[in-house]
Amino acid sequence: MTPGRRLLRAATPQRTLLLGSLLFGGALVFVTPPFGTPDEPAHLFRAWAISQGDLVGERVRGAGGHYAAEGAAIPAGVARLRDVATAAGTQPVAHPLTGEALARAYAVALDAEHPQLVDFRNSLQLPVALYLPQALGCAAARLAGLPPLAGLYLARLLNLAASTAILLWALARLPAHRWWLVAVALSPMLLSLRASLSADALNFAFASAFLAEVAALARSSTEPAGGDRARLFLLAAALGCMKVTYLPLILLLFLVPALRRPPGRWRTALPAIGLATLCAAAHLATLAPTQLRLDVPVDSPAQLQRLLHEPFAVLAILLRDLAVHAPRFLAEALGNKLGWLDVPLAPVALVVLSLAFALLIWAEAAGCARPPRRDLALILGSAFAVALLVELALWLQWTPLGDPGVQGVQGRYFLPLALPFIWSIGGVGCEATPSRAGARPTQRERAATIAAGAALTATFVSAGAAISGLLAFYGG
C-alpha cells in the first residue's frame, strides 16, 4: 500500500473533522476571550433569553416612534458580565486580558432575582433554531447554579458540538469533495465562529447538510421516496430556519435529475421549496420594523422606497460593492483577521494557508468533468442570488441613506457558498474510486491523496494560527 493510500485510510475526512473540532475547536472555546467574537454579547443575551422561554423578546418604544430597546429581561449578572469582561472590540495589544480580569469575570454572580432589560436587537432578527444549542448551555449553567461566565463557555461548547455533529452527518452523505468541506469547516474564521456563540455556526452546518443531501440524491435517476423524501423535507425546513439570505440555495434541488421533471417536480421539489419558504416567512412574520444601527442614522423605509423606484441603480450599487470588495471578502472568509476583525493572523500562516487551499481546489477539480451547462448555471445563479441578498440586506438595514456603497458586509456571510463554489469547478458527484490491488492509482485517486494532504496542512496551520493569534489578547 502506498503512503498516500495509508494516509487516506488513517486520516479520513470524518476523523479529521471530529478530532480537529474536539482538539482545536475545544481549545478556541477557552482561548477566545469572553465576548471576543463578532456580536457575541448579543448572542449570549439571546441564548439566555431563549433558555428562559422568551423566544421573541420584547420591544419598548421611545421618542419618535423608534424602539428604544429590543431584547428581553435576563438576570442582571449576565448583563453585568459584558461590562466586566471587556475583551469585546478591543485591540489585544492595547488591552491585554489578565488572569485577574478573568477571575473577576468568573466571580460575577447570576443575580437572577434582579432581571434587567438588555438590548440585543441584531440577534433578535435571527431564527430561534440557530440558538437552541447555546440556550441549552445557558439553561444547564442556570440550573446548576453556575456563574454567567460558565454559561458562556458551556454555550460555546454545545454550539461547537451541534455544528460538528451536523457536519459529520453531511460528510457521511456527501459523495465527493469531503476534504474541501473539512478544510473549510476547520479554517480559522469558521472554526472560531463554531467555537463561539455565533449563529453562523449552525447557518453553515444546516446549509452544508442540505447541500450534501442534494449531492447524494443527484447520483440517482429515481425520485426520492420514503426516508429520503422525509429527510429532504426536514433539511429544506432547516434551510428555511437559517438567515433568509440563504434561501436561494433551495433551488439547488433541481440538480437532482428526478426532481426536474414530473412527477418528482410536483411531489418532492416544489413542496420542499414551499416548505422552506414557509419557514422563512413564518420567521419574518415575527419581526417588527427596527433600527438595527444606532451609531449612525439608517432610514430603512427610505432605502426600500429607493429600491422600488430605482431598482437598477440599487442593483448597480450592490454589484459594484461585490466586485470592489471581493478580495477582502475572500480574505475575511478565510480568516485573515479574527476576533472582531481586529486580530490578524501571522503573514507566514496566511501564505501557507492560501497555498494549501489553492492546492486543495486544484486537487478537488483534477480528473473531474465540469458540471453540465444547465447545472453550472443553476449553481452559479443560486450562489449569485445569495450574494446579492446579503448585499441587499446590509444595504437596507446597515447603510446610511445616500451612501454610495454598502456598509457592514463581511466575508463570513458567504461561507455557506463553499460547496456550490467547489461544485462549479469539480462537479457535484466526482469522487475517487479505489483502483484494483496492484494497479497504478488513477488520476482521480492521486488527486484525492493530494487533497487529503492539502486539507490536513490547512487544518494544522489554521488551528495554530488561530490559537496563537487569539493568545495575543492575554497579558501578564
Side-chain angles (χ1 to χ4, degrees):
M1 183 181 293
T2 66
R5 292 185 186 180
R6 284 197 297 269
L7 175 64
L8 280 176
R9 178 167 294 184
T12 64
Q14 288 90 338
R15 289 177 185 170
T16 303
L17 177 65
L18 179 60
L19 292 177
S21 298
L22 288 175
L23 297 177
F24 305 137
L28 282 180
V29 164
F30 298 101
V31 168
T32 306
F35 306 124
T37 56
D39 302 318
E40 197 166 38
H43 294 314
L44 176 63
F45 297 158
R46 178 76 190 283
W48 206 285
I50 292 173
S51 77
Q52 300 173 161
D54 192 341
L55 304 184
V56 297
E58 58 182 292
R59 294 170 171 86
V60 179
R61 286 195 180 274
H66 290 295
Y67 291 110
E70 298 180 62
I74 60 175
V78 181
R80 191 159 56 247
L81 179 64
R82 174 182 54 184
D83 303 321
V84 176
T86 56
T90 62
Q91 293 292 332
V93 177
H95 300 277
L97 187 65
T98 63
E100 182 183 355
L102 281 175
R104 286 198 305 270
Y106 191 81
V108 174
L110 186 60
D111 197 9
E113 296 78 14
H114 299 90
Q116 178 179 335
L117 179 64
V118 292
D119 192 299
F120 48 87
R121 61 187 64 200
N122 51 346
S123 61
L124 200 58
Q125 303 294 307
L126 300 176
V128 172
L130 298 178
Y131 289 100
L132 293 181
Q134 304 93 308
L136 185 60
C138 295
R142 186 179 69 253
L143 294 175
L146 298 175
L149 185 60
L152 181 145
Y153 287 126
L154 274 174
R156 283 180 174 179
L157 282 170
L158 289 182
N159 199 27
L160 175 65
S163 63
T164 301
I166 296 170
L167 287 170
L168 284 171
W169 183 90
L171 280 175
R173 291 294 291 165
L174 199 63
H177 308 305
R178 298 184 188 94
W179 282 113
W180 170 255
L181 181 60
V182 169
V184 173
L186 296 176
S187 63
M189 176 57 75
L190 199 42
L191 186 62
S192 173
L193 292 172
R194 294 199 300 119
S196 74
L197 278 81
S198 176
D200 289 325
L202 290 189
N203 263 320
F204 179 80
F206 279 144
S208 299
F210 170 76
L211 294 171
E213 183 66 17
V214 167
L217 296 177
R219 305 174 68 189
S220 173
S221 59
T222 60
E223 180 189 357
D228 286 342
R229 180 184 290 141
R231 187 167 53 243
L232 187 61
F233 285 159
L234 180 63
L235 289 169
L239 186 68
C241 290
M242 294 168 50
K243 292 180 179 177
V244 178
T245 49
Y246 302 126
L247 190 58
L249 293 177
I250 194 68
L251 297 177
L252 293 178
L253 278 174
F254 292 113
L255 290 174
V256 181
L259 301 185
R260 294 175 184 159
R261 57 184 183 270
R265 182 194 306 163
W266 305 109
R267 292 193 306 201
T268 303
L270 293 182
I273 292 172
L275 180 60
T277 305
L278 182 63
C279 290
H283 167 65
L284 290 175
T286 67
L287 303 181
T290 186
Q291 177 84 16
L292 283 184
R293 194 167 180 183
L294 302 178
D295 57 334
V296 296
V298 175
D299 193 340
S300 295
Q303 294 281 68
L304 182 59
Q305 286 299 316
R306 185 182 179 190
L307 173 64
L308 295 175
H309 290 90
E310 303 176 41
F312 293 108
V314 173
L315 179 62
I317 292 174
L318 305 182
L319 293 175
R320 182 170 60 249
D321 190 78
L322 268 176
V324 170
H325 296 292
R328 174 173 67 84
F329 297 154
L330 181 61
E332 288 178 354
L334 187 63
N336 70 321
K337 287 186 178 181
L338 300 179
W340 288 64
L341 301 186
D342 59 3
V343 183
L345 298 187
V348 173
L350 260 181
V351 171
V352 174
L353 195 58
S354 299
L355 291 175
F357 266 93
L359 181 61
L360 179 58
I361 292 171
W362 173 85
E364 290 285 12
C368 294
R370 291 284 297 274
R373 289 184 179 180
R374 181 172 56 181
D375 289 356
L376 182 60
L378 182 60
I379 293 168
L380 294 180
S382 299
F384 185 63
V386 169
L388 277 185
L389 282 180
V390 168
E391 290 274 346
L392 180 60
L394 273 299
W395 182 81
L396 285 171
Q397 295 185 304
W398 205 255
T399 304
L401 190 64
D403 191 298
V406 182
Q407 295 189 19
V409 183
Q410 299 175 25
R412 61 191 171 101
Y413 301 147
F414 302 100
L415 285 169
L417 299 180
L419 278 176
F421 167 77
I422 205 67
W423 288 351
S424 69
I425 299 173
V428 175
C430 183
E431 57 183 320
T433 302
S435 54
R436 291 175 300 176
R440 296 185 61 182
T442 64
Q443 179 188 6
R444 185 65 199 133
E445 194 176 9
R446 290 193 297 270
T449 303
I450 295 173
L456 289 170
T457 300
T459 295
F460 284 104
V461 173
S462 296
I467 293 172
S468 61
L470 290 169
L471 282 174
F473 267 107
Y474 294 87

